[in-house]
């Protein structure tokens, strides 16, 4: 999905407004000062209102007579919207990465992807296998973190496409932004695990049309993803015998 910032003045205004809401510069419940925003963003009132309609459609703002336009509570936001997810992760950087959101994403993946890969094993076509093989080849190439991120996204996108279920294919929009950030962190970190074997196991099971093996392989892949995230959040914690990261007291985070 093309970020709004690349869509001209309208898109840049949407991104700027989203940043202010997500960062808390305009807190939940606050009424927007339209005149001040118009001046600060150097846009027309019409352009400002049109941009706010985008946020309104995502549940982030609303307008009422006598009150004006205000920021709605986070509980009202469409958190599964691809743009809202991307904006949330865009607010995270360095030590400020929203690990809670990444863990939430991991739980969603743990529900969706093992079931999806079962369907992929049953329904995959030769074209699907070619797409998966190409993505896996790209994952194995040492061409930098950005390349690795895009290759991993391509692999998981191809798996969802191999289900031939339109709704599952759209789950790509839900997980892509957070997965991209997680991958960027993991592939930029030293001593991260080689992702090729776990992805190869998934592909081999899908190729063999073995749904049970595909599900097991996907769960193993997701377990590895959790370990990688644990290493990022607790880089100095020792590993237990099963490879999971331990904190003081021997408990995983």
């Amino acid at each position: 999905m093309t970020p709004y910032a690349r869509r001209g003045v309208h898109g840049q205004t949407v991104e700027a407004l989203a940043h202010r809401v997500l960062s808390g510069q305009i807190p939940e419940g606050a009424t927007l000062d339209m005149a001040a925003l118009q001046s600060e963003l150097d846009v027309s009132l019409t352009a400002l209102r049109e941009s706010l309609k985008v946020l309104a459609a995502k549940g982030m703002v609303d307008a009422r007579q006598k009150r004006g336009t205000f920021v709605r509570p986070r509980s009202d936001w469409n958190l599964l919207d691809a743009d809202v997810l991307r904006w949330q992760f865009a607010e995270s950087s360095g030590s400020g990465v929203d690990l809670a959101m990444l863990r939430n994403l991991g739980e969603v993946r743990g529900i969706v992807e093992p079931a999806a890969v079962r369907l992929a094993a049953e329904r995959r076509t030769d074209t699907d296998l070619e797409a998966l093989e190409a993505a896996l080849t790209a994952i194995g190439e040492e061409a930098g973190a950005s390349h690795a991120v895009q290759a991993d996204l391509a692999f998981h996108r191809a798996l969802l496409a191999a289900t031939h279920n339109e709704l599952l294919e759209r789950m790509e929009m839900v997980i892509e932004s957070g997965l991209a950030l997680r991958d960027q962190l993991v592939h930029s970190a030293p001593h991260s695990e080689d992702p090729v074997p776990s992805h190869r196991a998934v592909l081999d099971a899908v190729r063999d049309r073995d749904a049970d093996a595909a599900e097991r392989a996907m769960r193993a892949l997701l377990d590895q993803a959790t370990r990688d995230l644990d290493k990022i959040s607790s880089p100095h914690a020792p590993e237990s015998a099963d490879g999971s990261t331990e904190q003081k007291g021997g408990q995983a985070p």
Side-chain angles (χ1 to χ4, degrees):
M1 174 176 290
T2 304
Y4 275 95
R6 300 179 188 173
R7 305 179 195 175
V9 174
H10 168 72
Q12 293 169 13
T13 304
V14 171
E15 294 275 335
L17 291 168
H19 166 73
R20 295 191 182 202
V21 172
L22 267 296
S23 66
Q25 293 180 39
I26 307 177
E28 297 176 34
T31 298
L32 278 61
D33 186 333
M34 299 293 283
L37 284 173
Q38 182 183 352
S39 175
E40 293 167 14
L41 299 176
D42 192 23
V43 295
S44 67
L45 183 58
T46 298
L48 180 59
R49 286 173 173 166
E50 289 299 314
S51 297
L52 286 168
K53 286 181 181 179
V54 174
L55 300 191
K58 300 176 187 299
M60 296 176 67
V61 301
D62 201 355
R64 293 285 186 273
Q65 288 186 349
K66 298 183 180 180
R67 178 176 179 180
T69 302
F70 60 94
V71 177
R72 298 176 66 178
R74 180 184 173 88
S75 58
D76 292 341
W77 299 358
N78 182 1
L79 295 177
L80 292 180
D81 180 271
D83 287 316
V84 176
L85 281 167
R86 179 174 58 79
W87 289 331
Q88 289 183 89
F89 287 118
E91 290 303 311
S92 303
S93 61
S95 60
V97 169
D98 193 338
L99 291 173
M101 279 296 296
L102 286 176
R103 294 189 189 284
N104 286 343
L105 173 68
E107 291 176 355
V108 171
R109 293 182 66 196
I111 294 169
V112 173
E113 292 194 89
V117 80
R118 294 187 66 89
L119 290 179
E122 296 167 359
R123 301 174 178 177
R124 60 74 171 163
T125 65
D126 289 344
T127 300
D128 294 325
L129 292 177
E130 290 173 3
L132 286 164
E133 191 66 57
L136 182 58
T137 298
I139 289 174
E141 295 171 348
E142 296 184 4
S146 178
H147 175 85
V149 168
Q150 292 307 312
D152 189 41
L153 290 174
F155 185 89
H156 290 275
R157 191 180 300 119
L159 273 179
L160 292 174
T163 68
H164 297 277
N165 179 306
E166 289 183 334
L167 297 182
L168 279 173
E169 289 181 51
R170 301 303 287 176
M171 287 300 295
E172 165 207 340
M173 300 179 65
V174 173
I175 69 174
E176 183 168 315
S177 296
L179 181 58
L181 176 62
R182 190 211 73 88
D183 281 353
Q184 186 67 45
L185 292 169
V186 168
H187 291 298
S188 297
H191 312 304
S192 59
E193 294 185 47
D194 181 0
V196 172
S198 58
H199 287 73
R200 169 59 67 186
V202 172
L203 174 52
D204 287 346
V206 169
R207 177 182 286 107
D208 292 342
R209 298 190 185 278
D210 189 334
D212 290 339
E215 179 179 350
R216 288 195 300 271
M218 176 55 72
R219 292 194 183 280
L221 187 156
L222 294 175
D223 286 344
Q224 177 178 325
T226 299
R227 292 195 300 272
D228 289 338
L229 187 58
D230 287 343
K231 289 177 183 177
I232 294 169
S233 59
S234 303
H236 302 299
E239 288 189 354
S240 63
D242 64 359
S244 61
T245 304
E246 294 183 349
Q247 292 183 322
K248 292 181 179 180
Q251 296 180 346

